Amino acid sequence: MWPITMAASSPLLLLRSFTPTKPFSKTIRSLRKPLKFYSNSIRMEISEIEAEKKKIFVSGATGKTGKRIVEQLLAKGFAVKAGVRDAEKAKSMFPNPNEDLQIIKSDVTEGSEKLANAIGDDSDAVICATGFQYSWDLLAPWKVDYYGTVNLVDACRKVGVKRFILVSSILVNGAAMGQLLNPAYVFLNAFGLVLVAKLQAEQYIRKSGINYTIIRPGGLKNDPPSGNIVMEPEDTLSDGSISRDQVAEVAVESLLHQQASYKVVEIVARTEAPKKSFVELF
């Protein structure tokens, strides 16, 4: 039991002893002023935080998938550094001035030092949408899809970027999946073993310690989406196709969902598949 002397400090007695020097309503209004000030300060701080847009470096920004990634990032309210080899080409592809879009000349084959300068210490994440161009150079897939990706990862380490999204391909691990005779696996690897190069790049990312999402799409289509996204774990899908618009969407959504961290996903689109949210998909 509390001692009886404690009653002297009860709220009721304290209220009775309080004699304001001005009318009670004016006292309440004066108390509201600092509260209103702090409330406004909090709102200002929140609005300042919201104004600080996340900045994403997109490598391969003028590619068919990369361009869509840039457009969707901007639509989602991100700021974008578009890493491109040809700045003039990029300006023609993104003709409308946008203060949130910065075109940066970069080449993934030129080493991590130059890439680190291009990415800068103000980028929050890197999305790699690069891919070799078909030519007689059988080493092109290794220069771009392997060493280029490795250079990007090393550049991220240099500048402290801790989030990395890679657009890869289904069937990269086709040999382990028993898909050596799959026509798609045979066809793609005919060009300098590009799927093997991509798989080696994936393995480098996974060992790097960086927070990654590796997206393996099926056959890429330039047409608008004609089905819902089907997302499966790694080494699951061996056929199917998907719109580049949906691949770009998955890449952007990977930045927004914690469930996408440290994960490899394979995606295709199917008309019979139910529509799912990205929380469900990831």
Side-chain angles (χ1 to χ4, degrees):
M1 180 180 290
W2 291 106
I4 195 165
T5 53
M6 289 291 290
S9 59
S10 69
L12 183 59
L13 291 177
L14 287 173
L15 183 60
R16 286 177 179 173
S17 64
F18 173 66
T19 53
T21 57
K22 52 185 176 181
F24 188 68
S25 60
K26 290 184 179 180
T27 302
I28 293 298
R29 282 198 296 271
S30 67
L31 287 171
R32 283 177 179 168
K33 289 181 181 179
L35 291 174
K36 184 177 180 181
F37 171 77
Y38 290 127
S39 176
N40 289 339
S41 299
I42 292 170
R43 280 199 295 269
M44 286 176 64
E45 289 177 8
I46 291 173
S47 63
E48 287 172 1
I49 292 171
E50 291 174 345
E52 294 177 2
K53 296 187 176 184
K54 294 282 187 182
K55 186 174 290 185
I56 314 300
F57 183 91
V58 179
S59 182
T62 55
K64 293 177 181 178
T65 302
K67 179 177 183 291
R68 289 166 167 83
I69 291 172
V70 170
E71 292 169 343
Q72 291 198 31
L73 283 169
L74 293 172
K76 286 280 188 179
F78 289 93
V80 178
K81 278 186 171 183
V84 301
R85 287 186 303 167
D86 187 338
E88 292 305 315
K89 178 183 177 181
K91 290 175 183 177
S92 66
M93 292 181 69
F94 303 105
N96 299 322
N98 190 323
E99 62 180 9
D100 291 327
L101 175 60
Q102 184 180 3
I103 294 172
I104 305 290
K105 191 170 182 180
S106 66
D107 187 333
V108 296
T109 65
E110 292 184 349
S112 60
E113 283 292 342
K114 288 185 177 181
L115 283 172
N117 292 332
I119 294 169
D121 58 6
D122 58 343
S123 294
D124 296 285
V126 167
I127 299 179
C128 177
T130 56
F132 84 101
Q133 295 182 343
Y134 293 103
S135 69
W136 292 109
D137 183 3
L138 294 180
L139 293 178
W142 291 89
K143 293 175 182 176
V144 177
D145 293 84
Y146 174 63
Y147 287 109
T149 305
V150 168
N151 288 337
L152 275 173
V153 172
D154 289 346
C156 286
R157 286 167 159 174
K158 292 178 188 296
V159 296
V161 172
K162 302 185 185 303
R163 191 74 175 93
F164 194 92
I165 314 293
L166 174 69
V167 178
S168 184
S169 173
I170 63 169
L171 286 173
V172 292
N173 204 20
M177 294 170 62
Q179 295 291 323
L180 279 172
L181 299 180
N182 185 310
Y185 185 79
V186 174
F187 174 77
L188 290 171
N189 273 325
F191 297 94
L193 298 176
V194 61
L195 292 179
V196 179
K198 287 180 179 292
L199 179 62
Q200 294 298 313
E202 287 187 12
Q203 292 173 349
Y204 188 84
I205 294 168
R206 296 170 79 158
K207 294 175 182 177
S208 70
I210 199 167
N211 182 352
Y212 64 86
T213 304
I214 296 171
I215 302 165
R216 296 176 177 176
L220 298 171
K221 299 192 299 184
N222 297 325
D223 301 328
S226 59
N228 292 320
I229 296 172
V230 174
M231 184 179 291
E232 299 289 352
E234 61 183 299
D235 300 343
T236 302
L237 299 174
S238 57
D239 59 19
S241 60
I242 188 168
S243 167
R244 292 180 188 272
D245 293 318
Q246 290 169 305
V247 177
E249 187 178 11
V250 173
V252 174
E253 291 291 336
S254 296
L255 297 169
L256 303 174
H257 297 276
Q258 184 65 32
Q259 303 96 319
S261 295
Y262 300 101
K263 186 170 287 186
V264 180
V265 297
E266 299 186 341
I267 54 173
V268 294
R270 293 179 180 147
T271 53
E272 72 277 11
K275 185 171 180 60
K276 294 183 179 180
S277 69
F278 278 98
V279 172
E280 294 174 294
L281 288 170
F282 284 118

